[in-house]
Amino acid sequence: MLETLPYSNAPVPVDLTINGQLHQLAIEPRTTLLDVLREHLGLMGTKKGCDHGQCGACTVLLNGERRVSCLTLAVSHDEATVTTVEGLATGDELSPLQQAFLEYDAYQCGYCTPGQLCSAQGLLHEGHARTRDEVRELMSGNLCRCGAYPHITDAILSVLLTQQPTP
Amino acid sequence: MRNFGYLRAASAAEAVQAGAAPQVQFLAGGTNLVDLLKYRVEQPAALLDINRLPYQHIEELPDQGLRLGALVTNAATAYDARVQTRYPLLSSAILAGASAQLRNAATNGGNLNQRTRCPYFYDVAAACNKRQPGSGCAAIGGHNRGLAILGTSESCIATFPSDMGVALRVLDAEVRLLGPAGERVVPMAEYHRLPGAEPWRDNNLLPGELVTAIDLPPAHFGQHYTYLKIRDRLSYAFALVSVAVGMRLDKAGHIQEARVALGGVAHKPWREPRAEAVLAGQLPTAEVFGAAADELLAGAVGQGENNFKLALARRAIVRACQQAAAGTPQSQSDKHIR
Amino acid sequence: MVSNSPVPASLELPPVPAPGSPRRLEGRDKLTGRAQYAGDFTSHLTGGVLDAAVVVTSTQATGRILTIDASAANKVPGVRLVLTHENAPRLHAVLATNGAEIGDLLPLQDDKLHYYGQAVAVVVADTLAAARDAAALVHVTYSAPAPDAAFTLAQGRSRSQDVKKVGAGDPGQVQVGHPDKAFAAAPHQVDLTFDTAPHHHNAMEPGAIVAAWEADGGLTVHLPTQFSYGDAVILGEAFGFGLKERLPNIVAQVLGGIEFHHKVRVVSTMTGGAFGSKNANVHLLLAPMAAKLTGRPVKLVLDRAQTFSMMPFRGEMHQRIRLGADAEGRLQAVLHDALLAKGTAGQFVAPIGEATTKVYATPNLGLHVQAAALDTNAPGWMRGPGAPNGQFALESALDTLAYQVGLDPLEIRLRNYADTEPDTGKEWSSKALRECYAQGAERVGWHQRNPQVGSMRGENGRLLGYGMATAIYPTLQLPARARIVLGADGRAVVQTANHEIGQGMITTFTQLAAETLGLPLEQVRLEWGDTRLPYGGMTVGSMTTLSGGAAIQEAAQQVLKTLLKRVVADQASPLYNLAPATLRVENGRIMGPGGASETVAAAMARQPESPITEEATTGRTMGHSRYGREAFGAEFAVVSVDPDTLHVQVERLVGAFAGGRILNPLLVRSQLMGSMVWGLGQALLEQTAMDERTGHWLNDSLGEALVPTNADVADIDIILIEEDDSRGHPLGVKGLGELGITGVAAAIANAIFHATGQRITSLPITLDKLLGTPLPQSAAPASNP
Ligand SMILES: Cc1cc2nc3c(=O)[nH]c(=O)nc-3n(C[C@H](O)[C@H](O)[C@H](O)COP(=O)(O)OP(=O)(O)OC[C@H]3O[C@@H](n4cnc5c(N)ncnc54)[C@H](O)[C@@H]3O)c2cc1C
Ligand code: SF4
Ligand code: FES
Ligand code: FES
């Protein structure tokens, strides 16, 4: 079948700028962004909780938007910019969200946390969450089996309120 | 996931030509396709990446309608100001589905073509006529809590799981297709199929045919509409039953026009003209809505575990109609049913 | 619709929880992605090589493997091994103290199938992609399945047998007085049966392990576990190391001070959630087996679906509760019968009914536990094992009794308040449950509600309901050791092989050592989760602080004593010749009467060659006490139910808990909150569906086996009531990690009854169950509290 088509499953060149650093990769078409991060680049901060888009643990920012990296084929995003949990802080200085998670104890085992942080960063960027209910709904793509939800919501609200001037 | 070949389609013409070959599938957001590849439910020889084709915009149509590009994401569609003001039903339905991350990736064309969530379809060790024609249907007589009560066949009782599609059905959207033989337009009503004897065919797309856009005709459901989605979990779960309603009321409060479609209960968004005829010209009362619900659910049969859907659907229809009539649409963030 | 309006001014900055408490010490690592879980290991941590292993599981539950064809798999480039029962190393029998499956059934030893999803092969390759490819090519054929297989209690009821011991040794059969007779004679009787669905832990981190054999024949594994020493002994037994340590007497050996040092090392530094699921797992053995044959380090991570069959779960339970009461609602008889699902292998039966024997006063009490071994993988310990299911049944029945007698549900609990431990008559070490009832009721507005069933209405005619239940969980202590080394720099290193599973052990232990030593937190460092460290016990049963904390406190006290002795004997010290009893250490400074003082660092610096090292062993009595020791709480739920669709929403959960002394209110609050979220999930969502025809856990994914999302979780209000439990435990602390789940399902079910008049006796309470019966026609006036 394949012989008659102009396709090949050989590795494809893909350029990705991850946390500010350009990576020029050659990857099989089937490689997910999550596996690029973990298996190819050893960036283990992004977690695999389900590998099927059902938990949010693998959430990263792709060109600034939050995505589940486990259902994202990297080949399809040549030249994209990716931010993972490793790229949120500035040097030793935690981002406002990271700091709020620390203060509000918005985590327990920490396994969902990289995904929660990237998702929350995306949520702030999107600008559609203005109420507690909206934060809860728009963070529902990130499961936390430790049940830290009320603290996660509080932490995000605290950043939402301190970053955006109330009229 | 089996390895596969990959080609980035540079033009629509190239896409439809190459896409017509068997074992080639279009890749849009990948949120459904990649999942199915991982379970080895789908094992194409090659993926044709359509993400750089020029279907990335929402455009005005001359008749005041809107054209939603097939590659516009679900999120961009739901939050588009024109969609929010003119088609709030669509916006609401999209926001009822999946999660923010998934909606950022999922495209309008992909949403229409997403496959069923029947658990046996996903389980490659189980019999499933949709996945493996002729192997049987493990869902009949099995766990079918989430499956269909309307339009089922002896070979398949799967549902079409999309939320967006239910709203599109109410809005009488039209799906624009481009194929090897040229363009054609298929109304939503005729886009998806019932399982019948060929459950592996979800819809009427021909080989190589590409969804290029979804056209929304002008609609007047900015005030009286709702998308009510009932599910076990309050978010990030597929519907057990969902109801999309659009209505127009006259000054005296009579229903001028009402459209109702159901999700989560059939192989396609379910609409029934007889039910809408029951509503036309009536005052919005629970009795009238109940009568319409009975028409809409005529012929519904439970499959055992999902018997409750008959009662649930009836109640949800009445409630959704009340929400629409009262102009208090369901919020997708405050989960209380109004 | 999501509005685009700016943040409303009414939205207030959420108060920071427990402002004075130290924050998690490993917090920065978890927040920056640096925290390393076993699945995050890369080859540079294992000497440049780390192969990937993928498990192949059976698609049939019973019968035999006829053939396994690995030829295609072996041809995949990069594949090093396809491990099957045909080539797997033979293992020696192991003893699993927790009743885990591997105590009866070792993986890959023969061709027999025991359950669907059983490991039948492990593929090892250079890359994960190659291992996955090859795993999909392993072709297995099976003989015909057994015609009489049973996968559910309904199918396997005839296999029921009485159980002598449940859980970790609690009695499965209890009789106090004459419960049958007393029940028959009671003027008020309630007789209800309850069914609760199986559900899985689904910790966000799946099972994972890295195994490496050393040149000297030793074995090192890294994995998330709740019992590193236990796993090390199991590995030692299985691989035939000449072991001095055997699990059954490991505790005696630890207590006897025998150093534990054999060639197996288990390291467990970060665990991405455990909840009872992580120890003595099947993959503990699979990865070392594979690594033994390849001679290279191996990393094995289960995929989500595999965690359903290769890790434990809370099994299906069927219960019957009979309550007999006098005219005033005083319990005359409590009869609790339970039938629990067991696995095809494994001895675990959840400690069901343990709470029933402790929670209310009654002269006549009967507990009768049976189990049926089904053809599934083995159920196991899961957060609050037994208790939330038992309490769901008992507290629902008690609620029913309250309405029958005409008492307020809170009043009937007060009337049956157990002033002494019901089954033993012992005094309680402490019990502030009355306070919990009072404060919880006050906070939730219990007395302002309309007690009449079906009477309350919220917005849009929603039915409102209030429910409550008692939370109860035993306070246990296990043996543990700790070593503290106070160095020449005045800094202390605390060592104990306990485990961080999200409960905050690192912070609590460091804090406890710092407080006891009088050092600032920054001068104390904890080493944990490694069998090279002193035995730290099991991280189970909410016992971390009780067990490990006690050892740390004792070791710290000894260090302090030695330090003070040293300074008063040291002529160079300003504290020379003072009586040790007159000295205090605070914030790193030793202070004597009359202002004499020096820093700990200064004192230690004068003898750089001799750090102070002390070890302590505690928990010798296994927590046995002459007092009854339980942690109690009162949990309240407010639900609203849509009258048409019967869609249930939990509006609010309030929990008031009496947990002895609270070391770190922030972490305790988080633990209780998390376990209340678990209760909500158990009440409304969680069930793993068994396909009765095949034995397959059908919804083996996070998308189908639903756990709560952020949107599901109501406002949770937690009240902590401090108790003086110093006569119960040297630190005066109680176990709080599981208490929170125990009453929630019952409180929610009781609230649904109050709202709708429907007594739902099976979990989870999904709306199909509510749709079965009509709603109350009560025309009571709407009230909107
Ligand atoms: C965990 C999870 C939860 C979800 N929950 C919901 C939910 O609650 N409600 C809901 O509605 N949906 C839900 N979804 C489904 C989601 O909406 C779909 O996966 C998504 O809309 C598919 O869009 P896509 O662009 O990612 O499609 P892809 O995955 O790229 O494609 C899907 C299919 O459509 C075909 N296709 C794509 N674009 C075109 C085109 N232009 N022309 C022709 N064929 C095309 C592909 O070949 C493929 O067969 C959920 C998904 C996940 C993973
Ligand atoms: S219902 Fe349809 S999709 Fe499900 S098993 Fe049957 S044939 Fe397959
Ligand atoms: S790992 Fe991607 S969503 Fe779970
Ligand atoms: S912190 Fe453990 S899963 Fe969220």
Side-chain angles (χ1 to χ4, degrees), chain A residues 2-22:
Chain A
L2 266 180
E3 294 78 276
T4 65
L5 292 168
Y7 309 124
S8 130
N9 57 16
V12 178
V14 175
D15 288 1
L16 292 172
T17 302
I18 301 170
N19 301 330
Q21 199 188 325
L22 175 67

PDB file of all heavy atoms in Angstrom, chain A residues 2-22:
ATOM      1  N   LEU A   2       1.720   1.305   1.030  1.00  0.00           N
ATOM      2  CA  LEU A   2       2.509   2.505   1.226  1.00  0.00           C
ATOM      3  C   LEU A   2       3.399   2.832   0.031  1.00  0.00           C
ATOM      4  O   LEU A   2       3.624   3.992  -0.271  1.00  0.00           O
ATOM      5  CB  LEU A   2       3.372   2.347   2.466  1.00  0.00           C
ATOM      6  CG  LEU A   2       2.751   2.905   3.725  1.00  0.00           C
ATOM      7  CD1 LEU A   2       3.674   2.717   4.901  1.00  0.00           C
ATOM      8  CD2 LEU A   2       2.401   4.364   3.543  1.00  0.00           C
ATOM      9  N   GLU A   3       3.863   1.782  -0.633  1.00  0.00           N
ATOM     10  CA  GLU A   3       4.803   2.003  -1.728  1.00  0.00           C
ATOM     11  C   GLU A   3       4.218   2.916  -2.795  1.00  0.00           C
ATOM     12  O   GLU A   3       4.914   3.685  -3.434  1.00  0.00           O
ATOM     13  CB  GLU A   3       5.203   0.657  -2.384  1.00  0.00           C
ATOM     14  CG  GLU A   3       6.003  -0.254  -1.468  1.00  0.00           C
ATOM     15  CD  GLU A   3       5.135  -0.961  -0.458  1.00  0.00           C
ATOM     16  OE1 GLU A   3       4.828  -0.392   0.611  1.00  0.00           O
ATOM     17  OE2 GLU A   3       4.749  -2.090  -0.747  1.00  0.00           O
ATOM     18  N   THR A   4       2.915   2.826  -2.959  1.00  0.00           N
ATOM     19  CA  THR A   4       2.297   3.597  -4.024  1.00  0.00           C
ATOM     20  C   THR A   4       2.029   5.043  -3.587  1.00  0.00           C
ATOM     21  O   THR A   4       1.556   5.836  -4.373  1.00  0.00           O
ATOM     22  CB  THR A   4       0.962   2.964  -4.431  1.00  0.00           C
ATOM     23  OG1 THR A   4       0.082   3.075  -3.316  1.00  0.00           O
ATOM     24  CG2 THR A   4       1.141   1.513  -4.815  1.00  0.00           C
ATOM     25  N   LEU A   5       2.323   5.340  -2.351  1.00  0.00           N
ATOM     26  CA  LEU A   5       1.983   6.671  -1.857  1.00  0.00           C
ATOM     27  C   LEU A   5       3.239   7.467  -1.564  1.00  0.00           C
ATOM     28  O   LEU A   5       4.293   6.906  -1.293  1.00  0.00           O
ATOM     29  CB  LEU A   5       1.177   6.545  -0.558  1.00  0.00           C
ATOM     30  CG  LEU A   5      -0.216   5.952  -0.722  1.00  0.00           C
ATOM     31  CD1 LEU A   5      -0.780   5.614   0.625  1.00  0.00           C
ATOM     32  CD2 LEU A   5      -1.109   6.922  -1.454  1.00  0.00           C
ATOM     33  N   PRO A   6       3.090   8.780  -1.593  1.00  0.00           N
ATOM     34  CA  PRO A   6       4.269   9.600  -1.337  1.00  0.00           C
ATOM     35  C   PRO A   6       4.564   9.752   0.160  1.00  0.00           C
ATOM     36  O   PRO A   6       4.956  10.810   0.606  1.00  0.00           O
ATOM     37  CB  PRO A   6       3.872  10.941  -1.955  1.00  0.00           C
ATOM     38  CG  PRO A   6       2.394  11.010  -1.772  1.00  0.00           C
ATOM     39  CD  PRO A   6       1.914   9.590  -1.889  1.00  0.00           C
ATOM     40  N   TYR A   7       4.284   8.733   0.949  1.00  0.00           N
ATOM     41  CA  TYR A   7       4.497   8.837   2.380  1.00  0.00           C
ATOM     42  C   TYR A   7       5.615   7.917   2.812  1.00  0.00           C
ATOM     43  O   TYR A   7       5.832   6.870   2.245  1.00  0.00           O
ATOM     44  CB  TYR A   7       3.270   8.391   3.182  1.00  0.00           C
ATOM     45  CG  TYR A   7       1.997   9.032   2.777  1.00  0.00           C
ATOM     46  CD1 TYR A   7       0.914   8.255   2.402  1.00  0.00           C
ATOM     47  CD2 TYR A   7       1.877  10.409   2.796  1.00  0.00           C
ATOM     48  CE1 TYR A   7      -0.269   8.838   2.039  1.00  0.00           C
ATOM     49  CE2 TYR A   7       0.686  10.999   2.426  1.00  0.00           C
ATOM     50  CZ  TYR A   7      -0.381  10.204   2.047  1.00  0.00           C
ATOM     51  OH  TYR A   7      -1.540  10.783   1.700  1.00  0.00           O
ATOM     52  N   SER A   8       6.198   8.284   3.908  1.00  0.00           N
ATOM     53  CA  SER A   8       7.170   7.391   4.509  1.00  0.00           C
ATOM     54  C   SER A   8       7.020   7.514   6.013  1.00  0.00           C
ATOM     55  O   SER A   8       6.612   8.557   6.518  1.00  0.00           O
ATOM     56  CB  SER A   8       8.563   7.814   4.058  1.00  0.00           C
ATOM     57  OG  SER A   8       9.407   7.938   5.159  1.00  0.00           O
ATOM     58  N   ASN A   9       7.297   6.428   6.711  1.00  0.00           N
ATOM     59  CA  ASN A   9       7.237   6.550   8.160  1.00  0.00           C
ATOM     60  C   ASN A   9       8.617   6.774   8.762  1.00  0.00           C
ATOM     61  O   ASN A   9       8.845   6.571   9.937  1.00  0.00           O
ATOM     62  CB  ASN A   9       6.513   5.367   8.806  1.00  0.00           C
ATOM     63  CG  ASN A   9       7.152   4.054   8.437  1.00  0.00           C
ATOM     64  OD1 ASN A   9       8.276   4.035   7.959  1.00  0.00           O
ATOM     65  ND2 ASN A   9       6.435   2.963   8.658  1.00  0.00           N
ATOM     66  N   ALA A  10       9.525   7.197   7.899  1.00  0.00           N
ATOM     67  CA  ALA A  10      10.869   7.531   8.387  1.00  0.00           C
ATOM     68  C   ALA A  10      10.788   8.769   9.273  1.00  0.00           C
ATOM     69  O   ALA A  10       9.837   9.548   9.170  1.00  0.00           O
ATOM     70  CB  ALA A  10      11.777   7.798   7.202  1.00  0.00           C
ATOM     71  N   PRO A  11      11.769   8.961  10.119  1.00  0.00           N
ATOM     72  CA  PRO A  11      11.773  10.150  10.966  1.00  0.00           C
ATOM     73  C   PRO A  11      11.645  11.432  10.155  1.00  0.00           C
ATOM     74  O   PRO A  11      12.154  11.533   9.030  1.00  0.00           O
ATOM     75  CB  PRO A  11      13.128  10.064  11.667  1.00  0.00           C
ATOM     76  CG  PRO A  11      13.417   8.598  11.725  1.00  0.00           C
ATOM     77  CD  PRO A  11      12.851   8.030  10.456  1.00  0.00           C
ATOM     78  N   VAL A  12      10.933  12.358  10.720  1.00  0.00           N
ATOM     79  CA  VAL A  12      10.623  13.627  10.064  1.00  0.00           C
ATOM     80  C   VAL A  12      11.334  14.725  10.854  1.00  0.00           C
ATOM     81  O   VAL A  12      11.334  14.691  12.080  1.00  0.00           O
ATOM     82  CB  VAL A  12       9.093  13.872  10.119  1.00  0.00           C
ATOM     83  CG1 VAL A  12       8.729  15.199   9.497  1.00  0.00           C
ATOM     84  CG2 VAL A  12       8.349  12.719   9.453  1.00  0.00           C
ATOM     85  N   PRO A  13      11.922  15.686  10.169  1.00  0.00           N
ATOM     86  CA  PRO A  13      12.549  16.786  10.925  1.00  0.00           C
ATOM     87  C   PRO A  13      11.499  17.711  11.545  1.00  0.00           C
ATOM     88  O   PRO A  13      10.514  18.055  10.880  1.00  0.00           O
ATOM     89  CB  PRO A  13      13.374  17.522   9.857  1.00  0.00           C
ATOM     90  CG  PRO A  13      12.784  17.130   8.549  1.00  0.00           C
ATOM     91  CD  PRO A  13      12.100  15.804   8.723  1.00  0.00           C
ATOM     92  N   VAL A  14      11.692  18.030  12.784  1.00  0.00           N
ATOM     93  CA  VAL A  14      10.765  18.924  13.479  1.00  0.00           C
ATOM     94  C   VAL A  14      11.580  19.862  14.360  1.00  0.00           C
ATOM     95  O   VAL A  14      12.441  19.408  15.113  1.00  0.00           O
ATOM     96  CB  VAL A  14       9.783  18.132  14.369  1.00  0.00           C
ATOM     97  CG1 VAL A  14       8.910  19.088  15.183  1.00  0.00           C
ATOM     98  CG2 VAL A  14       8.917  17.216  13.533  1.00  0.00           C
ATOM     99  N   ASP A  15      11.309  21.146  14.250  1.00  0.00           N
ATOM    100  CA  ASP A  15      11.962  22.130  15.123  1.00  0.00           C
ATOM    101  C   ASP A  15      10.987  22.566  16.206  1.00  0.00           C
ATOM    102  O   ASP A  15       9.866  22.960  15.896  1.00  0.00           O
ATOM    103  CB  ASP A  15      12.361  23.373  14.314  1.00  0.00           C
ATOM    104  CG  ASP A  15      13.531  23.094  13.387  1.00  0.00           C
ATOM    105  OD1 ASP A  15      14.010  21.931  13.375  1.00  0.00           O
ATOM    106  OD2 ASP A  15      13.945  24.031  12.686  1.00  0.00           O
ATOM    107  N   LEU A  16      11.424  22.487  17.421  1.00  0.00           N
ATOM    108  CA  LEU A  16      10.580  22.946  18.520  1.00  0.00           C
ATOM    109  C   LEU A  16      11.419  23.824  19.436  1.00  0.00           C
ATOM    110  O   LEU A  16      12.554  23.472  19.764  1.00  0.00           O
ATOM    111  CB  LEU A  16      10.046  21.756  19.330  1.00  0.00           C
ATOM    112  CG  LEU A  16       9.044  20.834  18.645  1.00  0.00           C
ATOM    113  CD1 LEU A  16       8.778  19.610  19.531  1.00  0.00           C
ATOM    114  CD2 LEU A  16       7.744  21.566  18.351  1.00  0.00           C
ATOM    115  N   THR A  17      10.840  24.953  19.839  1.00  0.00           N
ATOM    116  CA  THR A  17      11.528  25.788  20.820  1.00  0.00           C
ATOM    117  C   THR A  17      10.880  25.502  22.172  1.00  0.00           C
ATOM    118  O   THR A  17       9.730  25.838  22.396  1.00  0.00           O
ATOM    119  CB  THR A  17      11.405  27.280  20.454  1.00  0.00           C
ATOM    120  OG1 THR A  17      11.962  27.444  19.154  1.00  0.00           O
ATOM    121  CG2 THR A  17      12.161  28.136  21.461  1.00  0.00           C
ATOM    122  N   ILE A  18      11.636  24.827  23.021  1.00  0.00           N
ATOM    123  CA  ILE A  18      11.069  24.378  24.284  1.00  0.00           C
ATOM    124  C   ILE A  18      11.728  25.126  25.432  1.00  0.00           C
ATOM    125  O   ILE A  18      12.954  25.098  25.570  1.00  0.00           O
ATOM    126  CB  ILE A  18      11.262  22.854  24.440  1.00  0.00           C
ATOM    127  CG1 ILE A  18      10.577  22.142  23.265  1.00  0.00           C
ATOM    128  CG2 ILE A  18      10.692  22.376  25.774  1.00  0.00           C
ATOM    129  CD1 ILE A  18      10.885  20.666  23.166  1.00  0.00           C
ATOM    130  N   ASN A  19      10.932  25.809  26.186  1.00  0.00           N
ATOM    131  CA  ASN A  19      11.437  26.642  27.287  1.00  0.00           C
ATOM    132  C   ASN A  19      12.586  27.527  26.819  1.00  0.00           C
ATOM    133  O   ASN A  19      13.610  27.655  27.476  1.00  0.00           O
ATOM    134  CB  ASN A  19      11.870  25.770  28.469  1.00  0.00           C
ATOM    135  CG  ASN A  19      10.711  24.936  28.991  1.00  0.00           C
ATOM    136  OD1 ASN A  19       9.556  25.357  28.908  1.00  0.00           O
ATOM    137  ND2 ASN A  19      11.011  23.753  29.507  1.00  0.00           N
ATOM    138  N   GLY A  20      12.389  28.103  25.645  1.00  0.00           N
ATOM    139  CA  GLY A  20      13.370  29.066  25.145  1.00  0.00           C
ATOM    140  C   GLY A  20      14.520  28.455  24.365  1.00  0.00           C
ATOM    141  O   GLY A  20      15.330  29.180  23.791  1.00  0.00           O
ATOM    142  N   GLN A  21      14.587  27.152  24.331  1.00  0.00           N
ATOM    143  CA  GLN A  21      15.723  26.542  23.644  1.00  0.00           C
ATOM    144  C   GLN A  21      15.254  25.808  22.387  1.00  0.00           C
ATOM    145  O   GLN A  21      14.293  25.018  22.436  1.00  0.00           O
ATOM    146  CB  GLN A  21      16.390  25.562  24.605  1.00  0.00           C
ATOM    147  CG  GLN A  21      17.817  25.227  24.199  1.00  0.00           C
ATOM    148  CD  GLN A  21      18.375  24.108  25.056  1.00  0.00           C
ATOM    149  OE1 GLN A  21      18.058  24.009  26.243  1.00  0.00           O
ATOM    150  NE2 GLN A  21      19.192  23.260  24.461  1.00  0.00           N
ATOM    151  N   LEU A  22      15.933  26.050  21.285  1.00  0.00           N
ATOM    152  CA  LEU A  22      15.555  25.403  20.028  1.00  0.00           C
ATOM    153  C   LEU A  22      16.067  23.969  19.990  1.00  0.00           C
ATOM    154  O   LEU A  22      17.235  23.707  20.244  1.00  0.00           O
ATOM    155  CB  LEU A  22      16.127  26.199  18.846  1.00  0.00           C
ATOM    156  CG  LEU A  22      15.904  25.558  17.464  1.00  0.00           C
ATOM    157  CD1 LEU A  22      14.416  25.541  17.100  1.00  0.00           C
ATOM    158  CD2 LEU A  22      16.709  26.286  16.391  1.00  0.00           C
TER     159      LEU A  22
END
